[in-house]
Amino acid sequence: MSFNSKLDEAESDFISVNGMVKIGERTNVVGKILNGFRRQGNRVAPDRVSRGTESHGDDSVKLLIDEDEKREHGPLKPSGPLLSGTAYCISSCSMILLNKVVLSSYAFNAGISLMFYQNLLSTIIVVLLHFFGLVSLERLNWKLIKVWIPVNLIFVGMLVTGMYSLKNLNIAMVTILKNMTNILTAVGEYIMFRKLQNQKVWSAMFLMIISAVSGGITDLSFNAVGYAWQIVNCILTAAYSLTLRRVMDTAKQFTKSGSINEVSMVLLNNLLSLPFAIVLILMFNEWEYVLNSEVISSPMFWVVSTVSGVLGLAISFTSMWFLKETGPTTYSLVGSLNKIPISLAGLVLFNVPVSLQNLFSILFGLFAGVFFAMAKMS
């Protein structure tokens, strides 16, 4: 699970959410899981598309096909993108807010333990989905695991630092500071892949830097520890994105199908993170804190923690569904726009003290993120 895995990665050809990566291709995995929610409004028979300019003699055939579809599926409505986009936005907003509740409102000081619980929950759910035939998974083997371990270590660091930054900072500041990940990723892409960005992208990143600096200066609840965690998180998030590109190519060589789907990557990340989390829990003596913490006796604490973990996994599936219904361009833009209500909700729900200057910096940073997504599409 990751509340920030790649909601902030606004690239049209590389999207990563909760350990899930999408690179220039679409999958049909989500259709099996969310078939009950999907509508058939955007279905068009291939022969009708290819024969759209034929003579009127075929119109009666087309009409019969349309009538058959209406009888079988009901009136056709373009509701797929709307439903999938709504599900994606709701799951991402809710997960971030619930994680903030667990870490701040319940004053839970064991972010690694929370990560362990949520990743364990995600692992169990994915395995159950595979058991009931709703998703397909690659058969794991030692060679595949050994190749994946380096990127998984970065993944664990990304989640842990994200937990602690969210605990010490308000959601709005976390959101605009995470824009720095885009800059680090762009620099890394140039160094590793010689990928050049256009002038609009660099202009957007310059605006992000201004918003982050001004936001930190005007932050009435400034927390140096939280900012330090977030800076490390940005570095690890960018490193995760860049490393994953190379690891995926190598990992495909050790799978039976010669490829690796998104659900398998979600399982790999969550499953392999468990032993590393246990080591960290013992190293930082979190187990003693958890056993002696009064908050774990609260049923609502477990409800919120469990729901946030489930929503973290739901982001993986709803993002795949949304991407399949629309495309990388719409996905990236909606992902950027989605940060605006999340940030504003965080300010209101958690009574964050904010000045007019700080609010302006936050809004400026959020719209700079939207501008960045649009610049990447151009």
Side-chain angles (χ1 to χ4, degrees):
M1 192 291 304
S2 172
F3 64 86
N4 60 8
S5 284
K6 299 310 295 160
L7 291 176
D8 306 293
E9 199 64 43
E11 295 181 307
S12 62
D13 60 344
F14 182 78
I15 302 168
S16 170
V17 181
N18 190 28
M20 180 277 293
V21 175
K22 183 73 181 174
I23 300 183
E25 62 178 273
R26 299 183 180 183
T27 66
N28 59 4
V29 174
V30 182
K32 300 178 182 178
I33 303 173
L34 302 167
N35 193 44
F37 299 97
R38 296 181 59 187
R39 298 290 187 269
Q40 303 297 327
N42 60 345
R43 285 185 51 189
V44 182
D47 58 336
R48 283 182 288 154
V49 175
S50 61
R51 299 178 187 177
T53 58
E54 289 183 2
S55 65
H56 295 287
D58 290 333
D59 289 345
S60 59
V61 177
K62 298 174 187 177
L63 181 61
L64 288 174
I65 295 174
D66 289 336
E67 291 299 324
D68 288 341
E69 285 190 353
K70 288 181 180 179
R71 284 195 295 269
E72 182 179 356
H73 302 294
L76 301 181
K77 299 178 181 179
S79 56
L82 179 61
L83 283 176
S84 58
T86 302
Y88 166 64
C89 291
I90 290 176
S91 60
S92 61
C93 290
S94 301
M95 183 203 60
I96 294 175
L97 294 173
L98 287 178
N99 269 343
K100 182 64 176 177
V101 169
V102 173
L103 295 167
S104 297
S105 299
Y106 283 99
F108 189 65
N109 295 317
I112 302 172
S113 300
L114 178 62
M115 180 200 72
F116 173 81
Y117 174 68
Q118 294 182 339
N119 286 8
L120 176 62
L121 190 65
S122 296
T123 300
I124 293 172
I125 293 174
V126 170
V127 171
L128 288 176
L129 290 174
H130 175 65
F131 178 79
F132 288 108
L134 296 175
V135 298
S136 60
L137 293 172
E138 291 292 336
R139 186 182 298 274
L140 302 184
N141 57 73
W142 172 242
K143 290 183 178 179
L144 177 60
I145 292 174
K146 188 166 61 175
V147 167
W148 205 266
I149 284 178
V151 74
N152 189 256
L153 286 171
I154 301 175
F155 175 74
V156 171
M158 182 179 72
L159 295 190
V160 172
T161 54
M163 288 285 189
Y164 284 110
S165 66
L166 186 62
K167 175 177 175 55
N168 291 284
L169 299 177
N170 64 71
I171 294 175
M173 285 307 303
V174 168
T175 302
I176 67 168
L177 289 174
K178 278 192 68 62
N179 281 337
M180 307 306 293
T181 300
N182 295 322
I183 301 173
L184 295 173
T185 303
V187 173
E189 284 179 334
Y190 175 74
I191 295 174
M192 297 175 63
F193 307 106
R194 295 299 173 186
K195 180 179 179 180
L196 298 175
Q197 306 293 343
N198 61 49
Q199 192 65 37
K200 291 182 180 179
V201 171
W202 287 111
S203 299
M205 289 192 286
F206 178 71
L207 296 178
M208 290 176 183
I209 294 174
I210 294 176
S211 67
V213 173
S214 61
I217 293 174
T218 59
D219 188 2
L220 298 181
S221 56
F222 181 85
N223 185 305
V225 174
Y227 276 78
W229 279 117
Q230 187 55 54
I231 291 172
V232 176
N233 177 259
C234 290
I235 295 172
L236 290 175
T237 303
Y240 175 76
S241 303
L242 297 168
T243 305
L244 192 57
R245 295 194 184 194
R246 291 190 168 180
V247 170
M248 283 181 61
D249 292 334
T250 306
K252 291 176 181 179
Q253 303 173 14
F254 302 107
T255 61
K256 187 176 181 180
S257 64
S259 63
I260 182 167
N261 60 35
E262 289 83 355
V263 181
S264 297
M265 287 186 280
V266 170
L267 178 63
L268 271 170
N269 274 336
N270 286 281
L271 179 62
L272 295 183
S273 70
L274 300 180
F276 296 125
I278 292 174
V279 171
L280 291 174
I281 290 171
L282 295 175
M283 184 183 301
F284 291 97
N285 209 32
E286 272 198 6
W287 64 273
E288 187 174 349
Y289 166 82
V290 172
L291 291 177
N292 296 320
S293 178
E294 295 182 0
V295 73
I296 65 171
S297 61
S298 170
M300 279 306 301
F301 169 80
W302 288 105
V303 169
V304 174
S305 300
T306 301
V307 173
S308 65
V310 173
L311 286 172
L313 182 61
I315 291 176
S316 295
F317 294 118
T318 56
S319 62
M320 283 189 275
W321 180 25
F322 186 40
L323 187 64
K324 183 175 184 293
E325 292 286 350
T326 55
T329 299
T330 303
Y331 177 92
S332 298
L333 185 57
V334 171
S336 297
L337 291 171
N338 195 37
K339 298 175 185 177
I340 298 175
I342 292 175
S343 300
L344 296 179
L347 292 175
V348 174
L349 295 177
F350 296 98
N351 297 318
V352 177
V354 60
S355 65
L356 183 61
Q357 295 89 339
N358 186 240
L359 181 60
F360 177 78
S361 298
I362 290 170
L363 293 175
F364 184 73
L366 293 173
F367 284 104
V370 176
F371 179 55
F372 175 84
M374 297 177 67
K376 292 287 287 186
M377 298 169 194
S378 62

